[in-house]
Amino acid sequence: MPPIKLAIIGGGPSSFYVASRLLSLLPRDGAQSSALKVHVYDRLWAPHGLVRYGVAPDHPEVKNCTHKFDQAAQDPRFRFFGNVQVDTQSSSIVPNAMALPLSSLLPHYTHLLFSTGGSVPILHPALPPSDHVVRALSLVHWYTRHPSCPPAPPLDKISHITLIGQGNVSLDVARMLLTSPSVLEKYDVPESVLDVLRRSAVKHVSIVGRRGPLQAAFTVKELREMMNLGDASMVPLDPALLKPPSDAPLTRQQTRTLQLLQKGSANKPGTTAKTWSLDFFRSPTGLVPPAQLMLTHTMLDSAARAVPTGATSRLDTDLVATSLGYRSDPAQTFYDPALGHLRTASGRIIDAAGRVYRNVYASGWAAMGARGVLASTMMDAYAVADTILADHFPGRVETMAVSPAAPHEFVETQTHMLPEDADLESVPREVAEGIEEGRVVEYGQWKAVDAEEVRRGEVRGKERERMDWNEARAFLEARTSKHA
Amino acid sequence: MPIPRPCRAELLRRHFSGSAVTRHGDVTRPEPGTGIKLNFKDAKGQLIKTIEANEGDDILSLAHEHDIDLEGACEGSVACSTCHVIISPEHYDLLPEPEDDENDMLDMAFGLTDTSRLGCQVRLTRDLDGITATLPAATRNMFVDGKKPTHH
């Protein structure tokens, strides 16, 4: 049986859960242990994707999953290469990343997995980015010190922010803007971010959605956190919005959302200087300069789509942030524009005719689209790992949940893209050089930076103080010369 | 008597202590024949294992101790739904009601039932002897050449 030498593109939670599952299903001391290598490539210098650069700073518990990722990375069959962006076009390269064409990677691997997530924010057609319209993702990247390095929002000059979209990203941003810096400062919030938040003049955050409370994408936990904000209160909703419909039964989550909205915020309206509102059934149609938002009022049709009622209104604001979901990077080889992500069946990448690219897989948001929580990402990742093994060890795998690998037709022209056998230790020349030059980060180096970030945080009485790449590189170089 | 779970402040303290991999409450095994019996079943209702536990042990920690394939991504801090289990109805009714934060996570659990709980929040008491925790349908249980997965 030839070995599995797997390259995973992307080093977020889906990638690490697949790696972890493969490494534990083929235990190091087992007969098949030597038959596996897993190399993870990430375009960012630091691993863990959205766990590091997406999870809100005041949700530290969510980051506990990295302990499992660290355990997987300790396995000698695992390697991580940060700052390597595989299979992209120059327009989407993140700062400092080395671009590596797929053709340079493929000769070194027998298996390929795309865990590239959904990195591209969907824009609102009526709200192109401008001085007054930003992507909510830029705000997330600002407060997580993402390598894309967006500018800080001018919070000292604005009092009213409007978020377009009613998902958890919107609520995360709203919570960051409305929570006192004295609460946030103990978390993993960079000092530069806290400085801006301390000077903030923001008094109100509007969270606009074109449908109603039963269709909103946020989850109850995040809504409850909004209700419990220490310094802010919710503008009361029209009670008519909160009546359960008589014709359709509600899901458990919908019922609990309505109950929470009926109860309102812990701080009573009018008792706080800061406020927030959920503006349901409003759809933006444009921005009157400098920042007056034009809204069409909407209602649901029989298929629960938002349709205009004919009424309109205007909302005076200072900054609009759009948060309307994500799709995968269209520059990727297997990107399907109709889906907004890669086309897969049971984790195997397929073409439009349903034929399978042999030994090429996708997992997580790159395969499913950008939705769902860590638990769904984990279950998907485990299923993909199981599929990889079921394909590689036909008839030798017992599984109760994965349907047995159905015979499938392979895409003939592409079947030779991966060699059947590969040198287990080899990496692309560019990567080897990048490691020599200190441009490519391996997991051990990340763990040194990680420990140093925590140490720098402890000095300030906080969870961690993040480094950017320049600081991390300087730290790693100083460490290398000390050890030399 | 219900046993209080660790409060959020304590969890935060644990988090900030910077300690390496801390499992959610390590458990010690009782003397055989003296513990509270807990059955783990797979999604098809097949018994995986019957184990014995001490008063106060939680189901997630017990699953880890006994190599049951139950995940705890947030390590018992009620920030995910990966340790979702289905409790035998007669024992479910003996448990203290789930709190809001647990319900918020159960909302997002796959294959939710009327007797679903987060394993990390179910602490065993003497009157729960004989309780069954069934892993939901999406939980996988896969072996290559009969090898069981190892916990890293």
Side-chain angles (χ1 to χ4, degrees):
Chain A
M1 188 67 63
I4 296 175
K5 190 182 176 206
L6 171 68
I8 308 183
I9 318 300
S14 179
S15 164
F16 273 88
Y17 275 126
V18 172
S20 170
R21 181 74 167 173
L22 290 173
L23 292 164
S24 76
L25 281 170
L26 300 175
R28 249 147 85 186
D29 53 0
Q32 305 291 347
S33 66
S34 59
L36 179 67
K37 289 278 176 185
V38 180
H39 289 179
V40 170
Y41 290 85
D42 201 294
R43 64 192 184 130
L44 305 185
W45 64 272
H48 306 157
L50 284 179
V51 176
R52 178 168 167 94
Y53 292 112
V55 169
D58 58 345
H59 287 168
E61 331 65 65
V62 176
K63 299 176 185 171
N64 284 345
C65 62
T66 58
H67 295 148
K68 189 176 185 91
F69 305 160
D70 287 346
Q71 285 167 348
Q74 278 169 11
D75 192 303
R77 297 169 295 173
F78 176 97
R79 287 184 81 179
F80 172 80
F81 307 108
N83 258 344
V84 185
Q85 192 163 0
V86 182
D87 187 33
T88 188
Q89 283 166 358
S90 51
S91 57
S92 357
I93 293 181
V94 295
N96 307 309
M98 167 208 287
L100 186 71
L102 207 48
S103 57
S104 300
L105 187 81
L106 294 178
H108 299 273
Y109 295 95
T110 63
H111 290 67
L112 184 61
L113 170 68
F114 289 89
S115 304
T116 39
S119 57
V120 180
I122 294 169
L123 298 181
H124 194 290
L127 298 170
S130 71
D131 282 351
H132 293 95
V133 180
V134 298
R135 302 164 176 87
L137 182 67
S138 300
L139 300 177
V140 173
H141 283 174
W142 163 64
Y143 67 64
T144 57
R145 242 187 150 185
H146 186 275
S148 64
C149 211
L155 299 184
D156 53 338
K157 296 185 183 68
I158 59 183
S159 64
H160 189 290
I161 292 186
T162 304
L163 293 160
I164 310 296
Q166 295 181 325
N168 281 341
V169 175
S170 276
L171 297 203
D172 281 352
V173 169
R175 213 170 59 247
M176 285 298 287
L177 293 170
L178 293 171
T179 301
S180 164
S182 65
V183 172
L184 293 175
E185 64 191 9
K186 65 177 178 291
Y187 294 114
D188 175 11
V189 185
E191 284 300 306
S192 58
V193 171
L194 288 169
D195 286 344
V196 173
L197 289 172
R198 286 187 188 112
R199 295 197 306 270
S200 171
V202 173
K203 288 282 174 287
H204 181 85
V205 178
S206 274
I207 306 163
V208 174
R210 61 185 171 172
R211 298 196 291 166
L214 300 180
Q215 291 77 35
F218 54 66
T219 52
V220 179
K221 172 190 174 175
E222 277 70 16
L223 181 61
R224 187 185 307 285
E225 287 172 327
M226 290 298 295
M227 295 297 183
N228 291 335
L229 284 173
D231 296 342
S233 56
M234 182 179 77
V235 176
L237 289 161
D238 176 356
L241 283 173
L242 304 177
K243 279 204 204 106
S246 50
D247 49 344
L250 298 182
T251 65
R252 169 191 157 107
Q253 187 167 1
Q254 286 174 324
T255 306
R256 301 182 70 245
T257 299
L258 280 191
Q259 285 168 353
L260 205 50
L261 290 171
Q262 282 157 358
K263 221 172 128 195
S265 55
N267 286 323
K268 291 299 146 217
T271 63
T272 59
K274 292 181 193 171
T275 53
W276 60 280
S277 59
L278 286 166
D279 301 354
F280 292 112
F281 296 113
R282 297 287 183 272
S283 176
T285 53
L287 201 69
V288 181
Q292 191 182 47
L293 195 60
M294 293 190 291
L295 297 167
T296 271
H297 297 199
T298 53
M299 54 189 265
L300 296 183
D301 70 6
S302 56
R305 285 173 305 215
V307 291
T309 62
T312 61
S313 59
R314 293 185 175 208
L315 179 64
D316 286 315
T317 188
D318 299 314
L319 182 69
V320 176
T322 55
S323 182
L324 299 162
Y326 299 86
R327 55 187 167 78
S328 297
D329 181 357
Q332 284 186 288
T333 302
F334 297 102
Y335 181 76
D336 186 325
L339 297 173
H341 51 86
L342 313 188
R343 183 180 288 272
T344 62
S346 304
R348 303 174 185 99
I349 293 201
I350 57 172
D351 69 4
R355 294 173 302 178
V356 170
Y357 292 90
R358 195 188 302 270
N359 292 353
V360 185
Y361 302 87
S363 72
W365 286 3
M368 305 183 287
R371 65 179 63 87
V373 293
L374 194 67
S376 42
T377 290
M378 185 194 78
M379 286 194 292
D380 165 77
Y382 286 179
V384 173
D386 292 0
T387 300
I388 292 171
L389 292 179
D391 287 353
H392 194 71
F393 300 101
R396 292 168 64 196
V397 164
E398 295 169 42
T399 173
M400 48 177 279
V402 181
S403 53
H408 30 251
E409 198 184 337
F410 289 100
V411 183
E412 283 308 324
T413 52
Q414 296 281 343
T415 48
H416 303 301
M417 59 188 292
L418 293 161
E420 283 187 19
D421 214 344
D423 175 350
L424 278 180
E425 303 308 324
S426 74
V427 297
R429 180 182 48 79
E430 299 91 324
V431 175
E433 287 170 3
I435 293 169
E436 279 292 305
E437 294 159 9
R439 288 190 296 141
V440 172
V441 180
E442 295 197 83
Y443 210 82
Q445 294 171 304
W446 154 248
K447 287 308 293 174
V449 172
D450 181 34
E452 176 65 8
E453 286 187 345
V454 170
R455 192 196 66 77
R456 291 182 187 184
E458 271 170 8
V459 173
R460 294 173 181 274
K462 65 199 281 195
E463 184 185 336
R464 102 175 31 233
E465 187 62 42
R466 289 185 175 221
M467 294 191 217
D468 67 8
W469 168 235
N470 288 330
E471 291 165 330
R473 185 169 191 172
F475 167 75
L476 289 170
E477 276 169 4
R479 182 173 163 266
T480 311
S481 53
K482 211 187 318 174
H483 289 275
Chain B
M1 196 184 76
I3 287 158
R5 60 184 183 167
C7 68
R8 198 157 281 263
E10 200 225 325
L11 290 165
L12 283 175
R13 221 167 19 248
R14 258 193 244 165
H15 182 87
F16 290 128
S17 70
S19 59
V21 187
T22 46
R23 269 192 184 172
H24 174 56
D26 284 320
V27 298
T28 14
R29 300 188 185 203
E31 285 292 314
T34 65
I36 303 161
K37 287 204 173 50
L38 162 63
N39 308 298
F40 282 106
K41 288 188 176 174
D42 68 22
K44 289 179 177 165
Q46 303 275 347
L47 184 70
I48 303 169
K49 198 181 270 190
T50 297
I51 60 121
E52 288 188 50
N54 292 308
E55 189 129 8
D57 292 345
D58 68 86
I59 289 182
L60 174 61
S61 302
L62 290 164
H64 278 205
E65 172 67 20
H66 293 275
D67 284 326
I68 303 291
D69 216 358
L70 184 66
E71 290 282 339
C74 76
E75 299 176 357
S77 50
V78 203
C80 76
S81 55
T82 54
C83 68
H84 167 213
V85 290
I86 297 155
I87 303 293
S88 37
E90 65 275 25
H91 297 101
Y92 178 88
D93 292 335
L94 300 174
L95 296 172
E97 289 276 309
E99 308 221 6
D100 284 341
D101 54 355
E102 184 183 349
N103 273 324
D104 292 351
M105 291 301 119
L106 285 170
D107 275 351
M108 289 175 279
F110 187 88
L112 190 74
T113 71
D114 288 343
T115 63
S116 287
R117 292 296 301 258
L118 295 185
C120 68
Q121 296 305 302
V122 179
R123 291 176 177 273
L124 295 188
T125 50
R126 281 281 156 201
D127 55 351
L128 293 172
D129 190 52
I131 187 173
T132 296
T134 301
L135 309 185
T139 306
R140 298 185 141 74
N141 194 3
M142 178 168 154
F143 315 105
V144 177
D145 287 351
K147 264 275 182 200
K148 286 186 183 178
T150 53
H151 281 292
H152 268 285

